[in-house]
mmCIF file with all atom_site columns, all heavy atoms in Angstrom:
data_model
loop_
_atom_site.group_PDB
_atom_site.id
_atom_site.type_symbol
_atom_site.label_atom_id
_atom_site.label_alt_id
_atom_site.label_comp_id
_atom_site.label_asym_id
_atom_site.label_entity_id
_atom_site.label_seq_id
_atom_site.pdbx_PDB_ins_code
_atom_site.Cartn_x
_atom_site.Cartn_y
_atom_site.Cartn_z
_atom_site.occupancy
_atom_site.B_iso_or_equiv
_atom_site.pdbx_formal_charge
_atom_site.auth_seq_id
_atom_site.auth_comp_id
_atom_site.auth_asym_id
_atom_site.auth_atom_id
_atom_site.pdbx_PDB_model_num
ATOM 1   N N   . ALA A 1 1  ? -42.941 -33.159 -36.147 1.00 0.00 ? 7  ALA A N   1
ATOM 2   C CA  . ALA A 1 1  ? -43.727 -34.033 -37.019 1.00 0.00 ? 7  ALA A CA  1
ATOM 3   C C   . ALA A 1 1  ? -44.722 -33.181 -37.839 1.00 0.00 ? 7  ALA A C   1
ATOM 4   O O   . ALA A 1 1  ? -44.823 -33.361 -39.029 1.00 0.00 ? 7  ALA A O   1
ATOM 5   C CB  . ALA A 1 1  ? -44.467 -35.102 -36.227 1.00 0.00 ? 7  ALA A CB  1
ATOM 6   N N   . VAL A 1 2  ? -45.390 -32.327 -37.198 1.00 0.00 ? 8  VAL A N   1
ATOM 7   C CA  . VAL A 1 2  ? -46.430 -31.419 -37.826 1.00 0.00 ? 8  VAL A CA  1
ATOM 8   C C   . VAL A 1 2  ? -45.723 -30.499 -38.829 1.00 0.00 ? 8  VAL A C   1
ATOM 9   O O   . VAL A 1 2  ? -46.192 -30.361 -39.963 1.00 0.00 ? 8  VAL A O   1
ATOM 10  C CB  . VAL A 1 2  ? -47.201 -30.540 -36.793 1.00 0.00 ? 8  VAL A CB  1
ATOM 11  C CG1 . VAL A 1 2  ? -48.055 -29.539 -37.494 1.00 0.00 ? 8  VAL A CG1 1
ATOM 12  C CG2 . VAL A 1 2  ? -48.048 -31.450 -35.949 1.00 0.00 ? 8  VAL A CG2 1
ATOM 13  N N   . LEU A 1 3  ? -44.626 -29.910 -38.466 1.00 0.00 ? 9  LEU A N   1
ATOM 14  C CA  . LEU A 1 3  ? -43.928 -28.942 -39.341 1.00 0.00 ? 9  LEU A CA  1
ATOM 15  C C   . LEU A 1 3  ? -43.307 -29.681 -40.520 1.00 0.00 ? 9  LEU A C   1
ATOM 16  O O   . LEU A 1 3  ? -43.269 -29.143 -41.651 1.00 0.00 ? 9  LEU A O   1
ATOM 17  C CB  . LEU A 1 3  ? -42.889 -28.178 -38.552 1.00 0.00 ? 9  LEU A CB  1
ATOM 18  C CG  . LEU A 1 3  ? -43.471 -27.230 -37.517 1.00 0.00 ? 9  LEU A CG  1
ATOM 19  C CD1 . LEU A 1 3  ? -42.289 -26.742 -36.618 1.00 0.00 ? 9  LEU A CD1 1
ATOM 20  C CD2 . LEU A 1 3  ? -44.151 -26.085 -38.177 1.00 0.00 ? 9  LEU A CD2 1
ATOM 21  N N   . THR A 1 4  ? -42.768 -30.906 -40.281 1.00 0.00 ? 10 THR A N   1
ATOM 22  C CA  . THR A 1 4  ? -42.240 -31.667 -41.402 1.00 0.00 ? 10 THR A CA  1
ATOM 23  C C   . THR A 1 4  ? -43.366 -32.029 -42.406 1.00 0.00 ? 10 THR A C   1
ATOM 24  O O   . THR A 1 4  ? -43.154 -31.904 -43.608 1.00 0.00 ? 10 THR A O   1
ATOM 25  C CB  . THR A 1 4  ? -41.530 -32.919 -40.852 1.00 0.00 ? 10 THR A CB  1
ATOM 26  O OG1 . THR A 1 4  ? -40.491 -32.523 -39.991 1.00 0.00 ? 10 THR A OG1 1
ATOM 27  C CG2 . THR A 1 4  ? -40.967 -33.808 -42.003 1.00 0.00 ? 10 THR A CG2 1
ATOM 28  N N   . ALA A 1 5  ? -44.500 -32.389 -41.885 1.00 0.00 ? 11 ALA A N   1
ATOM 29  C CA  . ALA A 1 5  ? -45.621 -32.691 -42.765 1.00 0.00 ? 11 ALA A CA  1
ATOM 30  C C   . ALA A 1 5  ? -46.146 -31.501 -43.497 1.00 0.00 ? 11 ALA A C   1
ATOM 31  O O   . ALA A 1 5  ? -46.487 -31.498 -44.682 1.00 0.00 ? 11 ALA A O   1
ATOM 32  C CB  . ALA A 1 5  ? -46.807 -33.346 -41.914 1.00 0.00 ? 11 ALA A CB  1
ATOM 33  N N   . THR A 1 6  ? -46.140 -30.344 -42.767 1.00 0.00 ? 12 THR A N   1
ATOM 34  C CA  . THR A 1 6  ? -46.570 -29.082 -43.421 1.00 0.00 ? 12 THR A CA  1
ATOM 35  C C   . THR A 1 6  ? -45.654 -28.656 -44.540 1.00 0.00 ? 12 THR A C   1
ATOM 36  O O   . THR A 1 6  ? -46.070 -28.278 -45.662 1.00 0.00 ? 12 THR A O   1
ATOM 37  C CB  . THR A 1 6  ? -46.630 -27.930 -42.335 1.00 0.00 ? 12 THR A CB  1
ATOM 38  O OG1 . THR A 1 6  ? -47.564 -28.308 -41.309 1.00 0.00 ? 12 THR A OG1 1
ATOM 39  C CG2 . THR A 1 6  ? -46.944 -26.589 -42.950 1.00 0.00 ? 12 THR A CG2 1
ATOM 40  N N   . ALA A 1 7  ? -44.330 -28.793 -44.294 1.00 0.00 ? 13 ALA A N   1
ATOM 41  C CA  . ALA A 1 7  ? -43.318 -28.533 -45.347 1.00 0.00 ? 13 ALA A CA  1
ATOM 42  C C   . ALA A 1 7  ? -43.462 -29.499 -46.518 1.00 0.00 ? 13 ALA A C   1
ATOM 43  O O   . ALA A 1 7  ? -43.422 -29.071 -47.722 1.00 0.00 ? 13 ALA A O   1
ATOM 44  C CB  . ALA A 1 7  ? -41.916 -28.607 -44.752 1.00 0.00 ? 13 ALA A CB  1
ATOM 45  N N   . GLY A 1 8  ? -43.743 -30.763 -46.252 1.00 0.00 ? 14 GLY A N   1
ATOM 46  C CA  . GLY A 1 8  ? -43.885 -31.739 -47.314 1.00 0.00 ? 14 GLY A CA  1
ATOM 47  C C   . GLY A 1 8  ? -45.164 -31.432 -48.149 1.00 0.00 ? 14 GLY A C   1
ATOM 48  O O   . GLY A 1 8  ? -45.160 -31.542 -49.397 1.00 0.00 ? 14 GLY A O   1
ATOM 49  N N   . ALA A 1 9  ? -46.233 -31.085 -47.505 1.00 0.00 ? 15 ALA A N   1
ATOM 50  C CA  . ALA A 1 9  ? -47.495 -30.729 -48.222 1.00 0.00 ? 15 ALA A CA  1
ATOM 51  C C   . ALA A 1 9  ? -47.321 -29.430 -49.015 1.00 0.00 ? 15 ALA A C   1
ATOM 52  O O   . ALA A 1 9  ? -47.768 -29.370 -50.173 1.00 0.00 ? 15 ALA A O   1
ATOM 53  C CB  . ALA A 1 9  ? -48.633 -30.446 -47.213 1.00 0.00 ? 15 ALA A CB  1
ATOM 54  N N   . ALA A 1 10 ? -46.511 -28.469 -48.557 1.00 0.00 ? 16 ALA A N   1
ATOM 55  C CA  . ALA A 1 10 ? -46.254 -27.248 -49.298 1.00 0.00 ? 16 ALA A CA  1
ATOM 56  C C   . ALA A 1 10 ? -45.428 -27.587 -50.517 1.00 0.00 ? 16 ALA A C   1
ATOM 57  O O   . ALA A 1 10 ? -45.688 -27.015 -51.587 1.00 0.00 ? 16 ALA A O   1
ATOM 58  C CB  . ALA A 1 10 ? -45.575 -26.210 -48.419 1.00 0.00 ? 16 ALA A CB  1
ATOM 59  N N   . ARG A 1 11 ? -44.416 -28.451 -50.397 1.00 0.00 ? 17 ARG A N   1
ATOM 60  C CA  . ARG A 1 11 ? -43.605 -28.887 -51.532 1.00 0.00 ? 17 ARG A CA  1
ATOM 61  C C   . ARG A 1 11 ? -44.469 -29.572 -52.605 1.00 0.00 ? 17 ARG A C   1
ATOM 62  O O   . ARG A 1 11 ? -44.351 -29.336 -53.775 1.00 0.00 ? 17 ARG A O   1
ATOM 63  C CB  . ARG A 1 11 ? -42.463 -29.774 -51.102 1.00 0.00 ? 17 ARG A CB  1
ATOM 64  C CG  . ARG A 1 11 ? -41.352 -29.056 -50.435 1.00 0.00 ? 17 ARG A CG  1
ATOM 65  C CD  . ARG A 1 11 ? -40.159 -29.947 -50.112 1.00 0.00 ? 17 ARG A CD  1
ATOM 66  N NE  . ARG A 1 11 ? -39.194 -29.237 -49.333 1.00 0.00 ? 17 ARG A NE  1
ATOM 67  C CZ  . ARG A 1 11 ? -39.116 -29.231 -48.083 1.00 0.00 ? 17 ARG A CZ  1
ATOM 68  N NH1 . ARG A 1 11 ? -40.010 -29.873 -47.281 1.00 0.00 ? 17 ARG A NH1 1
ATOM 69  N NH2 . ARG A 1 11 ? -38.180 -28.503 -47.381 1.00 0.00 ? 17 ARG A NH2 1
ATOM 70  N N   . GLU A 1 12 ? -45.385 -30.398 -52.074 1.00 0.00 ? 18 GLU A N   1
ATOM 71  C CA  . GLU A 1 12 ? -46.268 -31.109 -53.061 1.00 0.00 ? 18 GLU A CA  1
ATOM 72  C C   . GLU A 1 12 ? -47.232 -30.100 -53.741 1.00 0.00 ? 18 GLU A C   1
ATOM 73  O O   . GLU A 1 12 ? -47.480 -30.204 -54.940 1.00 0.00 ? 18 GLU A O   1
ATOM 74  C CB  . GLU A 1 12 ? -47.111 -32.126 -52.293 1.00 0.00 ? 18 GLU A CB  1
ATOM 75  C CG  . GLU A 1 12 ? -46.308 -33.361 -51.926 1.00 0.00 ? 18 GLU A CG  1
ATOM 76  C CD  . GLU A 1 12 ? -47.210 -34.372 -51.120 1.00 0.00 ? 18 GLU A CD  1
ATOM 77  O OE1 . GLU A 1 12 ? -48.403 -34.402 -51.332 1.00 0.00 ? 18 GLU A OE1 1
ATOM 78  O OE2 . GLU A 1 12 ? -46.615 -35.171 -50.377 1.00 0.00 ? 18 GLU A OE2 1
ATOM 79  N N   . ALA A 1 13 ? -47.655 -29.129 -52.981 1.00 0.00 ? 19 ALA A N   1
ATOM 80  C CA  . ALA A 1 13 ? -48.572 -28.081 -53.593 1.00 0.00 ? 19 ALA A CA  1
ATOM 81  C C   . ALA A 1 13 ? -47.817 -27.282 -54.699 1.00 0.00 ? 19 ALA A C   1
ATOM 82  O O   . ALA A 1 13 ? -48.372 -26.993 -55.725 1.00 0.00 ? 19 ALA A O   1
ATOM 83  C CB  . ALA A 1 13 ? -49.142 -27.186 -52.522 1.00 0.00 ? 19 ALA A CB  1
ATOM 84  N N   . LEU A 1 14 ? -46.554 -26.981 -54.323 1.00 0.00 ? 20 LEU A N   1
ATOM 85  C CA  . LEU A 1 14 ? -45.728 -26.205 -55.337 1.00 0.00 ? 20 LEU A CA  1
ATOM 86  C C   . LEU A 1 14 ? -45.536 -27.068 -56.588 1.00 0.00 ? 20 LEU A C   1
ATOM 87  O O   . LEU A 1 14 ? -45.635 -26.544 -57.685 1.00 0.00 ? 20 LEU A O   1
ATOM 88  C CB  . LEU A 1 14 ? -44.366 -25.867 -54.724 1.00 0.00 ? 20 LEU A CB  1
ATOM 89  C CG  . LEU A 1 14 ? -44.341 -24.613 -53.913 1.00 0.00 ? 20 LEU A CG  1
ATOM 90  C CD1 . LEU A 1 14 ? -42.969 -24.470 -53.221 1.00 0.00 ? 20 LEU A CD1 1
ATOM 91  C CD2 . LEU A 1 14 ? -44.666 -23.435 -54.800 1.00 0.00 ? 20 LEU A CD2 1
ATOM 92  N N   . ALA A 1 15 ? -45.263 -28.360 -56.403 1.00 0.00 ? 21 ALA A N   1
ATOM 93  C CA  . ALA A 1 15 ? -45.115 -29.220 -57.603 1.00 0.00 ? 21 ALA A CA  1
ATOM 94  C C   . ALA A 1 15 ? -46.407 -29.280 -58.425 1.00 0.00 ? 21 ALA A C   1
ATOM 95  O O   . ALA A 1 15 ? -46.367 -29.237 -59.646 1.00 0.00 ? 21 ALA A O   1
ATOM 96  C CB  . ALA A 1 15 ? -44.662 -30.639 -57.127 1.00 0.00 ? 21 ALA A CB  1
ATOM 97  N N   . GLY A 1 16 ? -47.521 -29.277 -57.674 1.00 0.00 ? 22 GLY A N   1
ATOM 98  C CA  . GLY A 1 16 ? -48.851 -29.350 -58.376 1.00 0.00 ? 22 GLY A CA  1
ATOM 99  C C   . GLY A 1 16 ? -49.110 -28.067 -59.141 1.00 0.00 ? 22 GLY A C   1
ATOM 100 O O   . GLY A 1 16 ? -49.625 -28.076 -60.265 1.00 0.00 ? 22 GLY A O   1
ATOM 101 N N   . THR A 1 17 ? -48.724 -26.909 -58.576 1.00 0.00 ? 23 THR A N   1
ATOM 102 C CA  . THR A 1 17 ? -48.936 -25.658 -59.290 1.00 0.00 ? 23 THR A CA  1
ATOM 103 C C   . THR A 1 17 ? -48.070 -25.582 -60.514 1.00 0.00 ? 23 THR A C   1
ATOM 104 O O   . THR A 1 17 ? -48.436 -25.063 -61.541 1.00 0.00 ? 23 THR A O   1
ATOM 105 C CB  . THR A 1 17 ? -48.768 -24.437 -58.311 1.00 0.00 ? 23 THR A CB  1
ATOM 106 O OG1 . THR A 1 17 ? -47.413 -24.462 -57.828 1.00 0.00 ? 23 THR A OG1 1
ATOM 107 C CG2 . THR A 1 17 ? -49.737 -24.395 -57.270 1.00 0.00 ? 23 THR A CG2 1
ATOM 108 N N   . ALA A 1 18 ? -46.859 -26.090 -60.395 1.00 0.00 ? 24 ALA A N   1
ATOM 109 C CA  . ALA A 1 18 ? -45.934 -26.178 -61.547 1.00 0.00 ? 24 ALA A CA  1
ATOM 110 C C   . ALA A 1 18 ? -46.582 -26.987 -62.694 1.00 0.00 ? 24 ALA A C   1
ATOM 111 O O   . ALA A 1 18 ? -46.496 -26.617 -63.856 1.00 0.00 ? 24 ALA A O   1
ATOM 112 C CB  . ALA A 1 18 ? -44.563 -26.677 -61.125 1.00 0.00 ? 24 ALA A CB  1
ATOM 113 N N   . ARG A 1 19 ? -47.111 -28.129 -62.302 1.00 0.00 ? 25 ARG A N   1
ATOM 114 C CA  . ARG A 1 19 ? -47.822 -28.975 -63.330 1.00 0.00 ? 25 ARG A CA  1
ATOM 115 C C   . ARG A 1 19 ? -48.994 -28.237 -63.925 1.00 0.00 ? 25 ARG A C   1
ATOM 116 O O   . ARG A 1 19 ? -49.190 -28.258 -65.130 1.00 0.00 ? 25 ARG A O   1
ATOM 117 C CB  . ARG A 1 19 ? -48.177 -30.329 -62.718 1.00 0.00 ? 25 ARG A CB  1
ATOM 118 C CG  . ARG A 1 19 ? -47.046 -31.234 -62.499 1.00 0.00 ? 25 ARG A CG  1
ATOM 119 C CD  . ARG A 1 19 ? -47.555 -32.664 -62.085 1.00 0.00 ? 25 ARG A CD  1
ATOM 120 N NE  . ARG A 1 19 ? -48.399 -32.676 -60.816 1.00 0.00 ? 25 ARG A NE  1
ATOM 121 C CZ  . ARG A 1 19 ? -47.954 -32.691 -59.669 1.00 0.00 ? 25 ARG A CZ  1
ATOM 122 N NH1 . ARG A 1 19 ? -46.594 -32.792 -59.410 1.00 0.00 ? 25 ARG A NH1 1
ATOM 123 N NH2 . ARG A 1 19 ? -48.745 -32.722 -58.607 1.00 0.00 ? 25 ARG A NH2 1
ATOM 124 N N   . ASP A 1 20 ? -49.717 -27.599 -63.106 1.00 0.00 ? 26 ASP A N   1
ATOM 125 C CA  . ASP A 1 20 ? -50.964 -26.918 -63.549 1.00 0.00 ? 26 ASP A CA  1
ATOM 126 C C   . ASP A 1 20 ? -50.561 -25.761 -64.464 1.00 0.00 ? 26 ASP A C   1
ATOM 127 O O   . ASP A 1 20 ? -51.199 -25.533 -65.549 1.00 0.00 ? 26 ASP A O   1
ATOM 128 C CB  . ASP A 1 20 ? -51.761 -26.317 -62.349 1.00 0.00 ? 26 ASP A CB  1
ATOM 129 C CG  . ASP A 1 20 ? -52.447 -27.382 -61.564 1.00 0.00 ? 26 ASP A CG  1
ATOM 130 O OD1 . ASP A 1 20 ? -52.498 -28.579 -61.998 1.00 0.00 ? 26 ASP A OD1 1
ATOM 131 O OD2 . ASP A 1 20 ? -52.933 -27.044 -60.447 1.00 0.00 ? 26 ASP A OD2 1
ATOM 132 N N   . HIS A 1 21 ? -49.505 -25.120 -64.147 1.00 0.00 ? 27 HIS A N   1
ATOM 133 C CA  . HIS A 1 21 ? -49.058 -23.970 -64.959 1.00 0.00 ? 27 HIS A CA  1
ATOM 134 C C   . HIS A 1 21 ? -48.527 -24.483 -66.304 1.00 0.00 ? 27 HIS A C   1
ATOM 135 O O   . HIS A 1 21 ? -48.885 -23.892 -67.373 1.00 0.00 ? 27 HIS A O   1
ATOM 136 C CB  . HIS A 1 21 ? -47.928 -23.134 -64.232 1.00 0.00 ? 27 HIS A CB  1
ATOM 137 C CG  . HIS A 1 21 ? -47.588 -21.892 -64.944 1.00 0.00 ? 27 HIS A CG  1
ATOM 138 N ND1 . HIS A 1 21 ? -48.478 -20.832 -65.036 1.00 0.00 ? 27 HIS A ND1 1
ATOM 139 C CD2 . HIS A 1 21 ? -46.486 -21.550 -65.688 1.00 0.00 ? 27 HIS A CD2 1
ATOM 140 C CE1 . HIS A 1 21 ? -47.867 -19.888 -65.716 1.00 0.00 ? 27 HIS A CE1 1
ATOM 141 N NE2 . HIS A 1 21 ? -46.708 -20.277 -66.148 1.00 0.00 ? 27 HIS A NE2 1
ATOM 142 N N   . ALA A 1 22 ? -47.820 -25.601 -66.314 1.00 0.00 ? 28 ALA A N   1
ATOM 143 C CA  . ALA A 1 22 ? -47.367 -26.132 -67.543 1.00 0.00 ? 28 ALA A CA  1
ATOM 144 C C   . ALA A 1 22 ? -48.529 -26.642 -68.423 1.00 0.00 ? 28 ALA A C   1
ATOM 145 O O   . ALA A 1 22 ? -48.469 -26.513 -69.671 1.00 0.00 ? 28 ALA A O   1
ATOM 146 C CB  . ALA A 1 22 ? -46.420 -27.364 -67.253 1.00 0.00 ? 28 ALA A CB  1
ATOM 147 N N   . GLY A 1 23 ? -49.594 -27.039 -67.796 1.00 0.00 ? 29 GLY A N   1
ATOM 148 C CA  . GLY A 1 23 ? -50.786 -27.490 -68.458 1.00 0.00 ? 29 GLY A CA  1
ATOM 149 C C   . GLY A 1 23 ? -51.531 -26.369 -69.190 1.00 0.00 ? 29 GLY A C   1
ATOM 150 O O   . GLY A 1 23 ? -52.157 -26.534 -70.187 1.00 0.00 ? 29 GLY A O   1
ATOM 151 N N   . LEU A 1 24 ? -51.345 -25.140 -68.677 1.00 0.00 ? 30 LEU A N   1
ATOM 152 C CA  . LEU A 1 24 ? -51.999 -23.982 -69.323 1.00 0.00 ? 30 LEU A CA  1
ATOM 153 C C   . LEU A 1 24 ? -51.377 -23.745 -70.734 1.00 0.00 ? 30 LEU A C   1
ATOM 154 O O   . LEU A 1 24 ? -52.068 -23.343 -71.622 1.00 0.00 ? 30 LEU A O   1
ATOM 155 C CB  . LEU A 1 24 ? -51.722 -22.715 -68.506 1.00 0.00 ? 30 LEU A CB  1
ATOM 156 C CG  . LEU A 1 24 ? -52.566 -22.561 -67.272 1.00 0.00 ? 30 LEU A CG  1
ATOM 157 C CD1 . LEU A 1 24 ? -52.127 -21.245 -66.533 1.00 0.00 ? 30 LEU A CD1 1
ATOM 158 C CD2 . LEU A 1 24 ? -54.015 -22.557 -67.575 1.00 0.00 ? 30 LEU A CD2 1
ATOM 159 N N   . ALA A 1 25 ? -50.143 -24.064 -70.928 1.00 0.00 ? 31 ALA A N   1
ATOM 160 C CA  . ALA A 1 25 ? -49.473 -23.912 -72.235 1.00 0.00 ? 31 ALA A CA  1
ATOM 161 C C   . ALA A 1 25 ? -50.088 -24.810 -73.272 1.00 0.00 ? 31 ALA A C   1
ATOM 162 O O   . ALA A 1 25 ? -50.094 -24.496 -74.443 1.00 0.00 ? 31 ALA A O   1
ATOM 163 C CB  . ALA A 1 25 ? -47.970 -24.209 -72.138 1.00 0.00 ? 31 ALA A CB  1
ATOM 164 N N   . ASP A 1 26 ? -50.697 -25.947 -72.827 1.00 0.00 ? 32 ASP A N   1
ATOM 165 C CA  . ASP A 1 26 ? -51.304 -26.880 -73.680 1.00 0.00 ? 32 ASP A CA  1
ATOM 166 C C   . ASP A 1 26 ? -52.730 -26.446 -74.109 1.00 0.00 ? 32 ASP A C   1
ATOM 167 O O   . ASP A 1 26 ? -53.302 -27.058 -75.047 1.00 0.00 ? 32 ASP A O   1
ATOM 168 C CB  . ASP A 1 26 ? -51.319 -28.286 -73.132 1.00 0.00 ? 32 ASP A CB  1
ATOM 169 C CG  . ASP A 1 26 ? -49.967 -28.837 -72.877 1.00 0.00 ? 32 ASP A CG  1
ATOM 170 O OD1 . ASP A 1 26 ? -49.028 -28.380 -73.644 1.00 0.00 ? 32 ASP A OD1 1
ATOM 171 O OD2 . ASP A 1 26 ? -49.775 -29.687 -72.026 1.00 0.00 ? 32 ASP A OD2 1
ATOM 172 N N   . ASP A 1 27 ? -53.300 -25.538 -73.324 1.00 0.00 ? 33 ASP A N   1
ATOM 173 C CA  . ASP A 1 27 ? -54.684 -25.086 -73.636 1.00 0.00 ? 33 ASP A CA  1
ATOM 174 C C   . ASP A 1 27 ? -54.780 -24.355 -74.971 1.00 0.00 ? 33 ASP A C   1
ATOM 175 O O   . ASP A 1 27 ? -53.926 -23.593 -75.300 1.00 0.00 ? 33 ASP A O   1
ATOM 176 C CB  . ASP A 1 27 ? -55.230 -24.197 -72.532 1.00 0.00 ? 33 ASP A CB  1
ATOM 177 C CG  . ASP A 1 27 ? -55.551 -24.927 -71.201 1.00 0.00 ? 33 ASP A CG  1
ATOM 178 O OD1 . ASP A 1 27 ? -55.513 -26.186 -71.300 1.00 0.00 ? 33 ASP A OD1 1
ATOM 179 O OD2 . ASP A 1 27 ? -55.869 -24.271 -70.246 1.00 0.00 ? 33 ASP A OD2 1
#
């Protein structure tokens, strides 16, 4: 349960960094 949650949080963090990086192009 802990490892599944950790993997899910890491996937969400990766998606967030992809969005953040895409947002840099708009700056």
